[in-house]
């Protein structure tokens, strides 16, 4: 490989990494569209940049082209997902790139959306633009995983979060007070993670036991309002719960099982809570694939599950979790409690054919352990 060719590959990797990082600004804000990042470079200098805007429009390429203006002529455009080729609310991004006179496009991955699926790249090539696909593909796939799974499998991406004591417990006994497992640094990280998702999901047990708000409570992020989802087979969520009482301010969706009380449903809906009905699984609880399908139909691409040990085990067992974050406190519980995960779930996380362990991160006195699903 020539020196110039090698230098261009290095530059491509560097600028694509910047585009991937820029795309993260849109996570939790752009559904049902993917969060895409776009960088425009001319003579080694960034002349335009853009990320998909809240609500999914305008697209990242449109924002970056507007930012670059005339400097886009003859430039290289880096984008984390194939530019769209179909007419929607606005014209196709591929056409806008051609019109702007961009000379070269570096695209991380092809868009699996059947309305695109290679047509965007083909449109660019037909216009005489040099197209390179695959730079930063793994990182871009992770960033676009919610969109990819929604299109390909009819479900959103699922991130599972659990907190456990140093000896592996998530809670004390049924009538004991809630355990405060982690410190402020870890709790702040959880708030940021909520903000990066379209929905926060818990089971009825967590909703009843903890009476959570499930909102984002960090300065600068407090206006983000992910959909709060409760898996509540028998519609036991109390009208006086904080979730119901704040439903008019921040959206709440309860997914109930078939045969749930019509009276309880009406009472929740009268308080502004949306209620959906899902079939039951063999265990008598809500069928998780059906619940996730309902969320995908609502445009949700990224779900943050804080549902506790039972929901966590079910998600892992059914192969529906894509990222797992375990926040481990520094202190042991010291007696019998509710395990954060059962032995079977821990074995699945430890299976290198299923999950990849990421280097742990220290958050104050606590430790965050991450497992990425193997695709």
């Amino acid at each position: 490989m020539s020196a110039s060719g090698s230098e261009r590959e290095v530059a491509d990797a560097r600028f694509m990494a910047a585009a991937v990082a820029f795309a993260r600004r849109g996570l939790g804000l752009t559904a049902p569209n993917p969060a895409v990042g776009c960088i425009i470079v001319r003579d080694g200098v960034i002349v335009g940049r853009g990320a998909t805007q809240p609500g999914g429009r305008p697209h990242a390429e449109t924002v970056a082209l507007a930012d670059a203006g005339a400097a886009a002529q003859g430039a290289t455009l880096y984008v984390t997902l194939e530019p769209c080729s179909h007419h929607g609310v606005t014209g196709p991004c591929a056409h806008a790139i051609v019109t702007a006179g961009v000379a070269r496009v570096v695209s991380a991955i092809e868009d699996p959306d059947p309305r695109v699926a290679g047509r965007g790249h083909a449109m660019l090539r037909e216009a005489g633009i040099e197209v390179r696909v695959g730079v930063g593909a793994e990182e871009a796939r992770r960033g676009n995983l919610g969109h990819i799974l929604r299109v390909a499998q009819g479900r959103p991406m699922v991130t599972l979060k659990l907190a456990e004591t140093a000896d592996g417990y998530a809670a004390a006994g049924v009538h004991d007070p809630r355990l405060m497992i982690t410190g402020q640094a870890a709790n702040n990280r959880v708030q940021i993670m909520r903000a990066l998702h379209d929905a926060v999901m818990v089971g009825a047990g967590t909703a009843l036991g903890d009476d959570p708000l499930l909102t984002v409570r960090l300065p600068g992020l407090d206006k983000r309002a992910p959909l709060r989802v409760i898996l509540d087979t028998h519609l036991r969520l109390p009208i006086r719960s904080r979730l119901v009482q704040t439903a008019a301010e921040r959206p709440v969706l309860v997914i109930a099982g078939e045969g749930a009380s019509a009276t309880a449903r009406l009472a929740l809906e009268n308080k502004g809570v949306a209620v959906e009905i899902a079939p039951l699984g063999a265990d008598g609880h809500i069928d998780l694939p059906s619940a996730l399908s309902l969320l995908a139909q609502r445009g949700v691409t990224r779900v943050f599950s804080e549902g506790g040990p039972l929901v966590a085990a079910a998600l892992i067992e059914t192969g529906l979790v894509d990222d797992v974050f375990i926040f481990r406190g520094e202190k042991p519980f010291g007696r019998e409690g509710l395990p954060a995960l059962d032995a079977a779930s821990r074995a699945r996380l430890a299976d290198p054919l299923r999950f990849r362990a990421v280097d742990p991160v220290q958050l104050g006195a606590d430790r965050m352990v991450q497992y990425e699903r193997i695709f």
Side-chain angles (χ1 to χ4, degrees):
M1 182 184 298
S2 67
S4 61
S6 175
E7 289 171 1
R8 188 161 80 161
E9 287 204 359
V10 170
D12 283 351
R14 181 163 57 92
F15 286 122
M16 184 60 77
V20 168
F22 203 58
R24 287 183 60 83
R25 295 189 175 200
L27 293 178
L29 294 172
T30 65
N33 288 348
V36 177
C38 181
I39 299 286
I40 300 175
V41 178
R42 183 170 178 174
D43 298 326
V45 177
I46 294 176
V47 295
R49 60 180 186 171
T52 309
Q53 296 300 289
R57 299 280 179 178
H59 288 182
E61 300 95 320
T62 303
V63 177
L65 289 169
D67 189 37
Q73 182 82 30
T76 296
L77 181 146
Y78 296 87
V79 64
T80 59
L81 184 68
E82 178 183 10
C84 64
S85 56
H86 60 285
H87 286 270
V89 177
T90 58
C93 289
H95 178 70
I97 292 169
V98 172
T99 302
V102 170
R104 181 169 179 260
V105 171
V106 180
S107 174
I109 56 175
E110 183 176 295
D111 190 343
D113 189 326
R115 297 172 298 175
V116 187
R119 294 182 184 87
H121 292 150
M123 184 183 293
L124 297 173
R125 291 189 176 105
E126 289 167 5
I129 295 175
E130 179 188 347
V131 178
R132 183 183 179 197
V133 181
V135 178
E138 183 175 352
E139 294 82 359
R141 178 178 171 80
R142 281 284 167 187
N144 286 294
L145 188 56
H147 167 69
I148 292 169
L149 290 174
R150 182 169 177 263
V151 169
Q153 298 183 21
R155 73 165 178 91
M157 172 195 177
V158 177
T159 301
L160 172 63
K161 169 261 173 180
L162 284 168
E164 67 176 11
T165 59
D167 48 0
Y169 294 107
V174 176
H175 301 294
D176 288 339
R178 179 183 177 185
L179 285 182
M180 304 304 292
I181 296 173
T182 53
Q184 195 60 50
N187 295 342
N188 286 346
R189 177 62 69 93
V190 171
Q191 294 293 315
I192 292 171
M193 293 169 74
R194 283 182 185 175
L196 297 176
H197 290 76
D198 310 325
V200 180
M201 182 174 76
V202 299
T206 298
L208 292 169
D210 296 346
D211 192 22
L213 272 173
L214 304 179
T215 53
V216 179
R217 300 184 298 278
L218 276 183
L221 295 177
D222 50 346
K223 291 185 178 179
R224 294 205 179 198
L227 176 67
R228 298 175 291 171
V229 180
I230 301 89
L231 303 175
D232 187 3
T233 304
H234 305 293
L235 284 183
R236 296 182 295 155
L237 187 66
I239 294 297
R240 293 188 177 183
S241 67
R242 296 200 295 170
L243 284 164
V244 175
Q245 292 300 313
T246 58
E249 305 160 18
R250 302 289 173 103
V252 176
L253 169 66
V254 173
I255 300 179
E258 295 171 336
S261 166
T263 301
R265 176 176 183 173
L266 181 60
L268 289 172
E269 290 176 335
N270 285 339
K271 289 291 186 178
V273 175
V275 180
E276 294 270 13
I277 303 299
L280 301 180
D283 59 359
H285 296 292
I286 290 168
D287 179 68
L288 285 174
S290 298
L292 293 177
S293 176
L294 284 172
L295 293 177
Q297 291 168 28
R298 283 176 161 260
V300 172
T301 63
R302 294 170 56 83
V303 173
F304 189 57
S305 176
E306 299 185 61
L310 293 180
V311 172
L315 286 169
I316 294 172
E317 181 182 356
T318 51
L320 294 173
V321 67
D322 306 295
D323 252 337
V324 179
F325 290 86
I326 299 177
F327 291 80
R328 189 165 296 142
E330 64 170 335
K331 297 179 180 179
F333 183 47
R335 59 184 175 91
E336 284 298 313
L338 178 64
L341 283 176
D342 57 29
S345 296
R346 292 191 188 274
R348 287 186 174 91
L349 291 181
D351 184 349
L353 298 179
R354 297 172 187 256
F355 289 92
R356 178 192 303 110
V358 179
D359 290 339
V361 174
Q362 198 70 30
L363 299 170
D366 307 313
R367 175 168 288 199
M368 181 181 76
V369 182
Q370 179 184 359
Y371 298 89
E372 293 181 341
R373 184 181 175 191
I374 302 294
F375 289 93

